[in-house]
Amino acid sequence: MGESINLLDSWAAKPKIIIVYRGGWRPFFNRHLAEIGMRIKDIQAFSYQLIAISPDAAPQARESMSKNGLELSNLSQ
């Protein structure tokens, strides 16, 4: 929370799936995040790490993740 990360440094640890969404204020993206939330256990079973990237400010990005039942790394501004 509030810290910088380097994706290249963390890439070797686990393969990543990166989800880029325009913001929690868009219904389409919320539906997409909710669908991913329903399948997150299956994705993680294959040892993938999910990372969401959003232009939302950190508090709004965390709210979008929480609202859609996602517990994953969220990169935002």
Side-chain angles (χ1 to χ4, degrees):
M1 198 183 289
E3 54 190 72
S4 296
I5 68 162
N6 184 326
L7 282 178
L8 292 176
D9 291 342
S10 70
W11 203 267
K14 248 184 203 188
K16 313 281 187 265
I17 295 176
I18 298 177
I19 303 158
V20 180
Y21 68 102
R22 292 186 62 188
W25 50 273
R26 299 282 309 244
F28 170 81
F29 293 104
N30 280 316
R31 285 192 305 271
H32 184 225
L33 292 175
E35 289 176 12
I36 291 168
M38 293 186 313
R39 293 171 177 84
I40 196 165
K41 298 282 187 217
D42 297 330
I43 294 167
Q44 290 171 336
F46 287 101
S47 298
Y48 284 99
Q49 179 184 8
L50 288 161
I51 296 176
I53 299 175
S54 166
D56 284 345
Q60 287 79 22
R62 281 191 297 277
E63 182 181 333
S64 292
M65 294 295 111
S66 177
K67 179 172 62 173
N68 290 295
L70 292 171
E71 294 180 19
L72 52 97
S73 299
N74 190 326
L75 307 180
S76 59
Q77 54 177 333

